[in-house]
Amino acid sequence: MSDTESYVYRYSWDRDDLLNYTFKEHYVKQPEVLAYLEHVVEKHDLRKHMRFNTAMLSASWDDSTQRWDLTVTGDQKLSAKYVITGLGLLSKQNYPDIPGLDSFKGEMHHTAKWPKGLSLDGKRAGVIGCGSTGVQVITDIGRVVKSLTCFQRHPQYSVPSGDSKVTPEYRQWANDNWDQIFHQVRNSITAFGFKESEISYHDVGPEERERIFEENWQKGNGFRFMFGTFNDVTTDDEANKAACEFIRGKIESTVLDKEKARKLKPYDVYARRPLCDGNASNGEKYYEQFNRDNVDIVDLKETPIEQIEDNGVRTSDGKLHELDVLIFATGFDAVEGNYTRIAIHGRDGLSLKDAWEESGPTSYLGVCVPEFPNLFTITGAKGPFTNIPPAIEVQVEFITEAIALAEKAGAPIIEATHEAEREWSALCEKLAANSLFWKAEDNWIFGANVPGKKRCLRFFFGGLKAYCEKLTECAKNGYAGFKPFAEES
Ligand code: NA7
């Protein structure tokens, strides 16, 4: 399930589609996302531009021809003036390095490679990872499996989505307001389609604070709870602690087994990518799953996994958790994962991997990297930390206009300068400096979830509005920060 509400988890540029394409629930699930994308492809006759089962294996910039030479699956060669990557922010799967992984005789699945038609009915399932994906999977399968063992390393704060069927009135409201909806999205921080709070936690008294937390909990959505309650939950210790306390209270009052509740309650700062659990088909939510006798939680801080054996997972207390199916909800080698595994070489043979070795993944405006001319990265390093579809749209608009201008001028070499990239990185650091996210930096946003990755900031935390302003300012100032490319030749 995407935890962005359906009406802003779509393209804004096809008015006819906005008015007529159906979305049944407030949150779209994977099959609907796929069906929507296939529909857009068919409607706009895009399939003719696509090659499937074709991986980019390498890309090298040739200064003499001023083109990119690509090698793709089957050792085929391609030549391109521009390369625009859409490699995905969260796409290269992360598998834990646990001894004995290969000895497991049951089924093993990563959540990002969920097999079609997988039936878990009556099976003994284990889920490793209780992040955004883990909480949704656990919520969905608790009811159908024979037993479910959740292996949790860091407990996190999960807020229910509040998902429900879309009523005709709601749909009519969206249809009457598409302009305002997308105007609000582009002028917001998170681009999630809800109004972000403009009041500080310190502006109101205890009762009002509780009322606001409760109201947003009931409306649902993790991002709404973090950014729609008070404008300082991610920057002010006291506001953050109050949000934590509120959610811990919900866990306490929901989970009847005290031992399970104790394990589920986080005590860290609430400053990771906020979690949002969906509804099971019977309407149950994440924490409610732990009231089932067949669902248990293993606290890996207390009893780490020692090894995986042929019939289950053994933890340090000597217990063997017997399983038929082991599910990895262990996330992704985020942001640069897909870039560094492809041999991308820019000027003078410099590889992207080497270019990012010291600094960590970086860019100018999230879309260009110095020494890599005419390479554009959609959802690249140091792009906006927001709802993704609107961010993709603004990046695509920026890239399209830059290329059109360069083509018109007859000087099609678009390359960011090192100075611009340094300034962009410094701005990203500055904007994130006051964020409490640094206090919980033990996660994928900072590259901490994959051993060996550089620990550093990977996003622009200024919000979509500020990001759009930066792109506009760059274009208005003759593509400042790029080597000149728009002068008529
Ligand atoms: P996340 O958010 O990276 O979560 C991965 C989870 O897996 C998290 O709970 C991790 O625990 C856990 N994990 C990772 N490696 C291990 C090992 N070795 N042992 C135990 N537990 C482990 O990935 P998601 O797929 O949930 O979500 C990614 C994004 O997709 C999400 O933010 C949305 O933007 C969509 P940890 O917390 O690191 O202790």
Side-chain angles (χ1 to χ4, degrees), residues 90 96 128-133 153-154 272-273 329-332 444:
L90 295 154
I128 300 183
C130 301
S132 292
T133 310
R153 201 162 57 180
H154 282 91
R272 289 170 157 218
R273 199 263 187 220
T330 43
F332 302 90
W444 64 263

Side-chain angles (χ1 to χ4, degrees), residues 358-363 381-383 420-438 441 445-446 454-462:
E358 266 192 37
S359 61
T362 186
S363 72
K382 297 216 166 99
E421 178 261 298
R422 277 194 296 271
E423 281 175 11
W424 182 251
S425 284
L427 176 68
C428 290
E429 297 288 335
K430 190 174 151 208
L431 290 169
N434 291 332
S435 169
L436 295 171
F437 271 62
W438 287 111
E441 53 131 7
I445 293 173
F446 298 94
K454 172 104 181 163
R455 290 221 182 180
C456 62
L457 179 68
R458 280 163 170 73
F459 288 94
F460 172 84
F461 271 12

Side-chain angles (χ1 to χ4, degrees), residues 178-462:
W178 285 117
D179 285 340
Q180 293 92 312
I181 288 168
F182 282 105
H183 177 79
Q184 192 276 340
V185 162
R186 286 208 181 190
N187 285 282
S188 68
I189 299 168
T190 60
F192 267 70
F194 62 83
K195 188 173 181 308
E196 285 134 4
S197 177
E198 287 168 356
I199 58 163
S200 157
Y201 173 76
H202 300 282
D203 287 345
V204 294
E207 272 179 31
E208 182 60 1
R209 289 168 181 165
E210 196 64 15
R211 191 196 65 74
I212 290 174
F213 279 137
E214 183 63 35
E215 182 185 42
N216 283 279
W217 177 272
Q218 293 303 336
K219 280 186 186 160
N221 192 306
F223 266 90
R224 189 202 305 274
F225 193 83
M226 189 177 258
F227 293 93
T229 46
F230 300 103
N231 64 8
D232 45 6
V233 168
T234 62
T235 51
D236 180 86
D237 278 323
E238 222 180 301
N240 192 274
K241 278 187 184 139
C244 297
E245 188 63 30
F246 181 90
I247 301 177
R248 275 196 298 272
K250 289 290 182 191
I251 300 171
E252 185 81 39
S253 62
T254 306
V255 182
L256 303 173
D257 180 318
K258 295 292 160 217
E259 185 56 8
K260 287 184 191 172
R262 182 186 70 76
K263 290 178 182 171
L264 285 163
K265 275 190 281 180
Y267 283 90
D268 288 357
V269 58
Y270 179 41
R272 289 170 157 218
R273 199 263 187 220
L275 306 194
C276 181
D277 51 284
N279 293 339
S281 55
N282 60 358
E284 282 179 358
K285 305 182 179 66
Y286 176 59
Y287 292 119
E288 288 166 0
Q289 296 310 310
F290 296 92
N291 290 334
R292 299 182 164 281
D293 291 339
N294 68 328
V295 179
D296 204 1
I297 181 94
V298 175
D299 180 344
L300 296 181
K301 296 262 187 208
E302 286 175 4
T303 53
I305 296 175
E306 272 200 340
Q307 60 183 34
I308 294 178
E309 301 182 6
D310 61 350
N311 55 347
V313 170
R314 192 174 296 278
T315 41
S316 65
D317 51 357
K319 187 167 177 186
L320 177 69
H321 304 269
E322 289 190 37
L323 303 172
D324 304 310
V325 186
L326 184 53
I327 295 161
F328 298 105
T330 43
F332 302 90
D333 181 350
V335 185
E336 74 269 37
N338 272 343
Y339 288 95
T340 49
R341 69 172 165 173
I342 299 170
I344 301 176
H345 291 88
R347 286 196 190 282
D348 302 322
L350 176 71
S351 79
L352 195 55
K353 204 171 172 195
D354 287 345
W356 286 349
E357 182 72 27
E358 266 192 37
S359 61
T362 186
S363 72
Y364 176 45
L365 298 170
V367 290
C368 288
V369 184
E371 307 292 341
F372 294 81
N374 290 1
L375 174 74
F376 302 91
T377 57
I378 297 169
T379 70
K382 297 216 166 99
F385 184 70
T386 63
N387 175 26
I388 293 293
I392 291 174
E393 284 193 2
V394 298
Q395 291 186 330
V396 168
E397 285 164 16
F398 179 82
I399 294 166
T400 308
E401 282 163 23
I403 291 177
L405 197 67
E407 285 289 308
K408 192 165 156 250
I413 303 291
I414 305 174
E415 185 180 0
T417 66
H418 284 282
E419 194 191 359
E421 178 261 298
R422 277 194 296 271
E423 281 175 11
W424 182 251
S425 284
L427 176 68
C428 290
E429 297 288 335
K430 190 174 151 208
L431 290 169
N434 291 332
S435 169
L436 295 171
F437 271 62
W438 287 111
K439 290 196 175 174
E441 53 131 7
D442 206 7
N443 64 78
W444 64 263
I445 293 173
F446 298 94
N449 66 328
V450 175
K453 277 181 86 165
K454 172 104 181 163
R455 290 221 182 180
C456 62
L457 179 68
R458 280 163 170 73
F459 288 94
F460 172 84
F461 271 12

Side-chain angles (χ1 to χ4, degrees), residues 58-133:
S58 71
S60 303
W61 172 255
D62 184 339
D63 229 6
S64 63
T65 58
Q66 306 213 319
R67 292 177 74 88
W68 283 94
D69 297 324
L70 313 182
T71 315
V72 301
T73 306
D75 213 23
Q76 294 176 67
K77 310 277 182 218
L78 299 175
S79 166
K81 201 193 269 187
Y82 305 98
V83 173
I84 304 172
T85 61
L87 289 169
L89 197 62
L90 295 154
S91 137
K92 183 185 172 190
Q93 292 118 47
N94 176 41
Y95 288 88
D97 185 13
I98 302 173
L101 203 63
D102 294 339
S103 62
F104 186 62
K105 295 276 191 303
E107 290 179 65
M108 290 195 279
H109 302 292
H110 193 286
T111 50
K113 274 195 166 174
W114 198 261
K116 247 189 185 170
L118 174 70
S119 168
L120 295 170
D121 280 17
K123 293 198 175 146
R124 297 168 302 173
V127 174
I128 300 183
C130 301
S132 292
T133 310

